[in-house]
Every structure is written in structure tokens, then in C-alpha cells.
Amino acid sequence: VVARVSRQKDYFTLADAAAKVLAKHPDVRFLIVGDNSLVDLNRSHYEEVAQKLNQLGIADRFIFTGHRTDVPRLIAAMDICVLCTHREGFPLSILEAMAMRKPVIATAVGGIPEIVQPEVNGYLHQHGDSTELAERIVSLVEDPDKVKRFGAAAAEQVRQNFSLQRYINEISKAYLDVAQQ
């Protein structure tokens, strides 16, 4: 996960899903990259999440890095990118992971369904559904070929639809359209 530890992000659903994943695959680890101590609200929420992980008996399977400036290096160490959230606009963390050939599993809210194509570059799960999220994670953990296939499709989608050149072309076209009116 690349996301600050805040209430907006649905870490309780992730924790419940992780417990289910770990029951089948106890060797899985969860890497959380994002602020959990610099902002008071994040620090407070992190303490609640840590308590939940302790109650589930899985705290030792989670690594919280806090705020980092070497996020690409940490994404490179991941096999799968997960974004469990209550609401979201258009998350760049998903695009960054996809550009690095990582399949994505994310909550079907906000702009996320515009990015994640189920069974192509990752999976969506319904908000608050820890069972569905766990099933999606297990599906990829158990199928490394699917991870590679989804990752390749993810990188291609970012290249085709979200590249800097495409952005420049679309902005230029918008300005030209306005100028010609």
C-alpha cells in the first residue's frame, strides 16, 4: 500500500482481509508506505490501526515505513499494490505502481474504476468488503503468471493513456480548440 495512514484510507478492511490472506499464506507481508507519524491525525489513526492488527494477531506481518522519499524503490519491492479506501479521486499511487508493472487491487470508488480494469491489470473490490479483498489478494499470491500478465497490462495502460506526452497533446488540443472558438 502506498498511502498515508489516515481515516480516509480503509485500513480496518485491509486488516480484516490480511487476516484472511495470512490464514492461507502465512508468509505474505504487507508493506505500508506513507505518513503515519508526521501529522497528528495520521499518528492517532496509526495507533488505532496498530491496535486492530495486534487484536488480529497479525501486527508482525505489517511493515509501516512512514513518510518516504524513495517510494519507487519500495514499489519495486512489492509484488502487488493494494489501495483500500473509503473515497478517492484519481490516485496517482495506483498509476505509479502500474507504471512499474505492478497489478493493482483497489476499492471500486471515485476514479479508481477508470484506472483498474478487472481481470486485465488488477482487480476491484467493493467498499468495506474484506472477504472480496482477501480473495483478490490470494488470487494473485497463488498465480505468479497472472501477476506478470496483469503487471504488463498495467504498464501498457499507463504508457498509452497516462503518459506525459499524451497529457501534453491533450492540453495542447484543448487550448487550440478554445483559441479557435
Side-chain angles (χ1 to χ4, degrees):
V1 176
V2 179
R4 69 191 180 282
V5 182
S6 72
R7 293 194 189 285
Q8 176 186 342
K9 309 305 177 190
D10 190 3
Y11 281 99
F12 293 121
T13 296
L14 176 64
D16 289 335
K20 294 172 175 111
V21 170
L22 291 164
K24 286 185 141 184
H25 296 280
D27 56 329
V28 170
R29 298 293 180 268
F30 294 84
L31 177 64
I32 312 299
V33 180
D35 177 45
N36 64 359
S37 65
L38 299 176
V39 176
D40 287 341
L41 286 173
N42 295 352
R43 184 173 32 255
S44 171
H45 190 60
Y46 167 74
E47 291 170 8
E48 293 172 15
V49 171
Q51 182 178 16
K52 170 82 170 181
L53 296 173
N54 280 321
Q55 288 170 349
L56 292 169
I58 60 172
D60 63 333
R61 301 297 192 260
F62 276 74
I63 300 166
F64 289 86
T65 69
H67 175 78
R68 296 291 292 253
T69 58
D70 60 343
V71 174
R73 185 175 74 82
L74 297 171
I75 292 172
M78 297 176 184
D79 297 311
I80 301 164
C81 180
V82 175
L83 182 61
C84 193
T85 185
H86 293 295
R87 62 188 185 285
E88 201 69 41
F90 196 80
L92 293 179
S93 64
I94 288 178
L95 291 177
E96 290 166 347
M98 290 171 62
M100 295 181 67
R101 304 180 76 83
K102 304 301 176 182
V104 172
I105 303 170
T107 312
V109 296
I112 293 172
E114 294 176 38
I115 304 170
V116 178
Q117 299 171 313
E119 298 288 342
V120 175
N121 60 22
Y123 291 117
L124 297 171
H125 70 93
Q126 294 307 305
H127 176 257
D129 190 338
S130 64
T131 300
E132 184 179 27
L133 175 56
E135 289 169 355
R136 302 293 194 228
I137 294 170
V138 167
S139 168
L140 292 179
V141 167
E142 293 178 348
D143 193 343
D145 289 336
K146 188 182 290 185
V147 169
K148 289 178 187 169
R149 192 171 61 251
F150 284 9
E156 182 61 20
Q157 181 184 1
V158 170
R159 189 188 67 71
Q160 286 184 9
N161 299 313
F162 302 105
S163 69
L164 177 59
Q165 188 58 54
R166 177 156 182 171
Y167 175 75
I168 290 168
N169 292 345
E170 289 186 15
I171 290 293
S172 297
K173 183 182 177 314
Y175 279 121
L176 287 173
D177 289 348
V178 169
Q180 292 174 353
Q181 290 182 2

